[in-house]
Amino acid sequence: IVSLNGIAASAITALKTNSAALGVVANNVANLNTPGYARRIVNQQTLSAGGQLMGVDIATIQRVSNQFLVQEQLAASGAASQFDTMAGLFSQLNGLLGSPGDNQSLATQLTNLASAFATASQAPTSSAGRTGVMNALNSLAQTFSNVSNTITSLRSQVDQQAVNSISSTNTLIKQVYDLNNQIRAAAASGNGQPTALIDQRDVVLGDLAKVMGIKTSTNADSSVNVSTTDGVNLVSNTYAQLSYSGTAQNGSYNSITVQDINPANGQTIGSAFALDPHLDGGSLKGLIDMRDQVLGGLSQSLGNLAQHTALAFNAQSNANASYPPPTSLAGRNTGQGGRRRIG
């Protein structure tokens, strides 16, 4: 026969269990817009003693997270950060170079030179026309120089941004490693899944994904391994450290290097190697691509344009000269002390 005390005890466990479950629901609602927070669900179990049912209890409070969706979110965050970085630099470059209608833009100077030649062709003997052409040529040459200096300056600025991001990136990598250790310790203590620490780690992983493309895998002890998308280790039983000092030599920049660190003594493991080929997404990838491919390619194209422009005008000038200079000099013996008369 069930005693009144037993009935009351079972009812009390139900009240306690449902009160705890309501607390979980309240946290879910309160943290709806909290970065890194994942919804929790309550798993219940029967409470028994000596083979007799004694009510209900909470088995676990489970953090609901889909690993596939998490990885897709990290990848999307890295790609968005990469292109946001490049878009901002493109806007800055457009502002420095000017639009085609601006007085100091390269397109305007080329148009002005063509107009000066057209004016001079109407009165070839006019000194004013020739002066106009010379002024237009000088302005074009100065514009080429200014644009080249602008591109070089912006490349240096982008490179410095890459240098500045290395320290913060190393901090994020170390934070993931430290949180892994805390999560392992909390899980081993038997107090359930350390969901609050996992939330913190997800925020850090999201920040790291904005800097460089990463992929993660969760271990049985709730820690995560982190690597670049092509498998270069960033966090496991060790953690990686990036190095980059910046500056260019003869227009070429050194690579960002990566090396594993032994957490027991802080010493490096193995040899450092270039990280640049392994970057896929993130602001760091955007900076490197902008510096080397976009701005580097633009600088090369500008040099080619300046060279071909000069060659084209020189060729046209020579082709229309009244008395083109001879390609070689010839003469004949005049019999005057070995002197030769130019003929």
Side-chain angles (χ1 to χ4, degrees):
I1 299 173
V2 179
S3 67
L4 290 177
N5 288 337
I7 294 173
S10 295
I12 290 173
T13 63
L15 288 173
K16 288 181 177 180
T17 299
N18 284 289
S19 176
L22 285 173
V24 172
V25 173
N27 279 326
N28 287 340
V29 174
N31 291 280
L32 182 63
N33 296 315
T34 302
Y37 184 84
R39 181 173 62 91
R40 272 70 161 169
I41 59 174
V42 175
N43 297 317
Q44 298 181 354
Q45 64 182 6
T46 56
L47 180 65
S48 63
Q52 299 296 316
L53 292 176
M54 300 295 293
V56 64
D57 192 13
I58 293 178
T60 59
I61 297 176
Q62 181 181 351
R63 184 175 184 270
V64 180
S65 178
N66 185 299
Q67 184 62 32
F68 173 78
L69 293 179
V70 169
Q71 189 58 54
E72 289 297 302
Q73 182 180 9
L74 292 176
S77 177
S81 180
Q82 174 188 349
F83 295 119
D84 282 347
T85 299
M86 296 183 73
L89 291 170
F90 272 121
S91 296
Q92 188 175 351
L93 178 62
N94 288 338
L96 292 171
L97 296 181
S99 60
D102 294 340
N103 290 333
Q104 300 302 316
S105 70
L106 187 59
T108 299
Q109 297 304 319
L110 287 169
T111 301
N112 291 343
L113 179 58
S115 299
F117 271 114
T119 300
S121 67
Q122 296 175 6
T125 60
S126 171
S127 60
R130 290 194 297 268
T131 300
V133 170
M134 291 303 300
N135 289 338
L137 284 169
N138 288 333
S139 295
L140 178 61
Q142 185 61 49
T143 301
F144 271 120
S145 178
N146 291 342
V147 172
S148 178
N149 291 337
T150 295
I151 295 173
T152 300
S153 177
L154 187 55
R155 288 188 77 188
S156 298
Q157 177 184 329
V158 171
D159 186 61
Q160 188 58 47
Q161 290 183 40
V163 172
N164 295 339
S165 70
I166 296 301
S167 177
S168 58
T169 303
N170 284 333
T171 299
L172 291 173
I173 292 173
K174 186 61 164 54
Q175 283 180 344
V176 175
Y177 176 82
D178 290 341
L179 284 167
N180 270 348
N181 288 338
Q182 295 176 42
I183 289 168
R184 287 193 192 97
S189 68
N191 293 326
Q193 191 183 39
T195 56
L197 289 172
I198 296 175
D199 285 347
Q200 294 178 35
R201 187 182 62 194
D202 278 359
V203 172
V204 178
L205 286 172
D207 291 339
L208 182 59
K210 293 177 181 178
V211 180
M212 55 191 300
I214 61 173
K215 67 177 181 180
T216 65
S217 60
T218 304
N219 301 313
D221 59 4
S222 297
S223 66
V224 295
N225 293 336
V226 186
S227 67
T228 62
T229 56
D230 61 353
V232 174
N233 175 66
L234 297 176
V235 178
S236 57
N237 292 328
T238 63
Y239 61 89
Q241 187 174 72
L242 313 186
S243 299
Y244 183 59
S245 59
T247 69
Q249 297 179 352
N250 298 323
S252 298
Y253 292 87
N254 294 325
S255 296
I256 300 169
T257 60
V258 59
Q259 193 168 18
D260 280 345
I261 301 297
N262 184 343
N265 54 25
Q267 299 298 311
T268 58
I269 302 173
S271 301
F273 58 93
L275 178 65
D276 297 28
H278 305 284
L279 291 174
D280 179 25
S283 59
L284 198 55
K285 171 70 171 173
L287 291 172
I288 298 302
D289 283 356
M290 195 73 186
R291 183 196 67 190
D292 295 343
Q293 297 180 20
V294 177
L295 294 175
L298 183 59
S299 180
Q300 182 65 40
S301 297
L302 180 67
N304 292 337
L305 176 60
Q307 181 182 22
H308 285 86
T309 299
L311 291 175
F313 282 124
N314 287 337
Q316 190 63 33
S317 175
N318 290 338
N320 290 277
S322 301
Y323 300 98
T327 58
S328 62
L329 296 178
R332 60 182 176 84
N333 190 346
T334 62
Q336 298 178 7
R339 295 180 180 175
R340 298 176 63 87
R341 179 174 63 83
I342 301 299

